[in-house]
Amino acid sequence: CTELSPMAPNTRGESMIAIKEYAARRRDLMSMMEPNSIAVVASAPEKVRSKDTYYPYKQDATFTYLCGFPEPSAVMVLIPGREQGEFLVFCREKDRLKETWDGFLHGPEGARDDYAADDAFPIIDIDEILPGLLEGRGRVYYDIGKDAEFDKHLMEWITNIRDQRARGAVPPGEFVDLGYYVNEMRLLKSAGEIKLMRRAGAISAGAHRRAMQASQPGLYEYQLQAEIEHEFAFHGATGPAYTSIVGGGRNGCILHYIENRCRLLDGDLVLIDAGCEYLDYAADITRTFPVNGHFSAPQAAVYDVVLAAQAEAFRSIAPGIAYNCANEATISVITQGLVDLGILDGDVDDLIARGAHREFYMHNAGHWLGMDVHDVGDYKVDKSWRDLEAGMVLTVEPGIYIAPDNLNVDQQWRGLAVRIEDNVVVTRNGCEQITADVPKERVEIERLMAS
Ligand code: GLY
Ligand code: MN
Ligand code: MN
């Protein structure tokens, strides 16, 4: 293929993370590593889907973050201060026959030329070479327990070194969790990452607009899923960042509803939680709208409480504000709203204190977002909610879910489910919504659906 779209994943177009950014990440990581240490990162294994066919390959996120090399059967090694080269890659060799069947392989030459490895070797030589690199290092940084098969290999290499002790070999004495360092780095997004996340957000917003415009009673949930995922693919996204949720009516009350097989009924709401993955970065948007394009009075009442909760949460997102403030803001607005609607009864502060909202709002207001939809990074530091910092990206996703069999509430509320979810980047003095290009005010939704 000679004419790849400049936006196509896995090409080296303008829009991708630059090679020099990967180099800077490796430098940052190496500057945190102890002297005389080594980091070893394994590519993700391939996964069988059915007999001899495989799921589309997804590279290990740490591997991608540190070098962008996209192939399986690869290992990257960082050795700070090593004169002959600090960044080494083991990977599959080029193989004409294999490439005819399964596609392009970079080979060690490509790892050097295209990914800036100081040196690269065939993966089949790793048992010969890696023990020599591990020998004499004090510490090994790696993702302990992430891949049982790789843990086993690493232990075999270490055991081999131990067996050579009588000949003076020194096995590494300490193993350190690499994730601890890389995950903290990943939590703060660079300008290049934010650009990709804006694009993931824009494509996903377009997909939600398309679903709103396509909606009509009688369609099946999977048909709106198809509209959404068509839009992802059409704009060069890899695909959904997680299995799309399209829940009509009471199905919206099932938080992780992914069957998407039911018919969409006149008079029901439909809750769609779907976001694409674009050049390794996820978007995560939820919109809830009436299948027939018109909110009923009870639907509108619940919807407006959730929308107000989200607006209040945005006001609690800025550098220096604790991560959980946005969550607390949504709990306040939702509890007050449920009391106003007569769904909860009592003093709002008492209800909040005893978590009465949990029956109707049983998840938190959001999570970190990045290369993983539920991205890495701690939420608490020393047992306290951490403060937000510019460059963090998170979702804001309050919801109200009223179980269809909840006999304690008036019948008009039963089976209603509303979630509204957007993605924000923490900026210097607040936050920027990167998924705003799909309506969420009721009148705007109704206008788009009528157009
Ligand atoms: N789509 C999963 C979530 O919203 O967390
Ligand atoms: Mn979501
Ligand atoms: Mn989410």
Side-chain angles (χ1 to χ4, degrees):
C1 160
T2 52
E3 286 197 42
L4 281 168
S5 150
M7 303 305 273
N10 298 327
T11 66
R12 298 241 54 94
E14 283 283 315
S15 56
M16 295 187 73
I17 297 295
I19 286 296
K20 65 176 191 303
E21 181 165 341
Y22 291 120
R25 293 173 186 175
R26 292 191 296 272
R27 268 199 310 278
D28 286 351
L29 174 63
M30 286 193 280
S31 74
M32 291 185 274
M33 290 167 62
E34 292 281 316
N36 192 35
S37 62
I38 182 169
V40 184
V41 188
S43 62
E46 293 177 286
K47 293 205 176 74
V48 171
R49 179 178 182 279
S50 153
K51 209 160 174 282
D52 57 354
T53 61
Y54 288 77
Y55 284 103
Y57 183 67
K58 174 123 177 83
Q59 182 58 285
D60 172 77
T62 305
F63 208 107
T64 298
Y65 185 76
L66 291 173
C67 74
F69 190 74
E71 294 177 20
S73 295
V75 171
M76 64 169 288
V77 178
L78 295 177
I79 311 175
R82 181 173 176 269
E83 270 178 25
Q84 310 90 306
E86 297 181 306
F87 168 39
L88 313 177
V89 171
F90 294 86
C91 62
R92 288 174 176 163
E93 286 182 277
K94 290 198 72 64
D95 176 336
R96 202 180 163 81
L97 182 63
K98 193 165 168 38
E99 290 182 68
T100 302
W101 284 90
D102 297 330
F104 178 77
L105 292 170
H106 287 88
E109 314 72 355
R112 282 189 292 263
D113 296 347
D114 300 336
Y115 292 89
D118 295 320
D119 211 347
F121 311 95
I123 188 76
I124 50 168
D125 293 341
I126 195 164
D127 290 336
E128 302 280 309
I129 299 172
L130 192 55
L133 298 170
L134 290 164
E135 199 270 318
R137 309 276 158 207
R139 279 189 174 201
V140 182
Y141 294 75
Y142 94 108
D143 280 322
I144 298 165
K146 196 189 230 178
D147 175 345
E149 197 59 27
F150 190 72
D151 283 356
K152 204 167 124 236
H153 278 302
L154 189 63
M155 287 312 134
E156 278 164 10
W157 292 318
I158 302 289
T159 307
N160 284 346
I161 301 170
R162 284 207 186 112
D163 292 347
Q164 306 290 322
R165 259 199 186 128
R167 284 178 229 151
V170 181
E174 279 183 59
F175 292 84
V176 181
D177 185 24
L178 179 64
Y180 172 80
Y181 297 88
V182 174
N183 295 351
E184 281 298 296
M185 292 170 68
R186 280 177 55 190
L187 183 53
L188 291 175
K189 273 70 179 174
S190 69
E193 290 180 291
I194 290 169
K195 206 165 134 196
L196 295 178
M197 295 194 74
R198 282 199 192 101
R199 181 79 185 127
I203 294 171
S204 305
H208 281 263
R209 285 198 308 272
R210 185 182 169 112
M212 286 177 183
Q213 290 181 292
S215 177
Q216 52 174 299
L219 286 182
Y220 286 90
E221 292 164 341
Y222 58 78
Q223 291 177 305
L224 289 192
Q225 180 181 4
E227 297 287 348
I228 290 266
E229 293 177 11
H230 166 94
E231 198 75 1
F232 292 170
F234 192 80
H235 291 283
T238 320
Y242 52 92
T243 307
S244 304
I245 294 168
V246 182
R250 60 172 59 187
N251 291 339
C253 293
I254 304 167
L255 298 179
H256 292 159
Y257 175 79
I258 52 171
E259 286 81 2
N260 303 349
R261 304 309 295 173
C262 289
R263 209 188 267 277
L264 295 164
L265 302 180
D266 201 358
D268 273 354
L269 292 173
V270 57
L271 182 158
I272 302 184
D273 183 342
C276 74
E277 181 176 295
Y278 182 74
L279 293 173
D280 298 315
Y281 288 84
D284 183 7
I285 302 181
T286 306
R287 287 291 181 270
T288 309
F289 56 87
V291 169
N292 65 13
H294 301 283
F295 285 89
S296 69
Q299 289 168 352
V302 173
Y303 189 91
D304 287 352
V305 173
V306 178
L307 191 60
Q310 199 203 35
E312 195 58 34
F314 290 138
R315 285 190 271 276
S316 309
I317 298 177
I321 298 183
Y323 169 81
N324 201 43
C325 285
N327 188 43
E328 286 166 4
T330 61
I331 292 171
S332 248
V333 175
I334 285 177
T335 306
Q336 179 71 59
L338 291 172
V339 169
D340 294 345
L341 297 178
I343 295 171
L344 279 178
D345 186 24
D347 173 75
V348 170
D349 290 336
D350 289 346
L351 291 167
I352 292 173
R354 63 182 170 84
H357 64 281
R358 285 269 160 225
E359 188 181 353
F360 304 100
Y361 174 33
M362 55 294 280
H363 56 77
N364 290 334
H367 49 83
W368 305 132
L369 182 72
M371 294 172 69
D372 290 304
V373 64
H374 296 161
D375 207 30
V376 294
D378 290 336
Y379 292 89
K380 286 187 171 179
V381 175
D382 296 332
K383 300 197 178 144
S384 299
W385 295 107
R386 75 188 303 158
D387 283 350
L388 295 171
E389 294 172 48
M392 292 175 168
V393 181
L394 59 152
T395 68
V396 184
E397 50 179 304
I400 293 178
Y401 315 87
I402 306 172
D405 59 356
N406 187 338
L407 300 181
N408 298 324
V409 302
D410 195 274
Q411 182 156 9
Q412 63 178 327
W413 309 119
R414 291 181 207 155
L416 280 183
V418 175
R419 177 163 67 254
I420 305 170
E421 176 173 23
D422 283 284
N423 308 156
V424 300
V425 181
V426 181
T427 58
R428 262 186 305 177
N429 43 22
C431 65
E432 171 197 341
Q433 289 185 50
I434 56 173
T435 48
D437 207 10
V438 49
K440 57 187 167 187
E441 293 289 342
R442 279 189 293 111
V443 286
E444 288 175 10
I445 291 175
E446 290 183 346
R447 196 178 306 132
L448 178 68
M449 292 184 76
S451 68

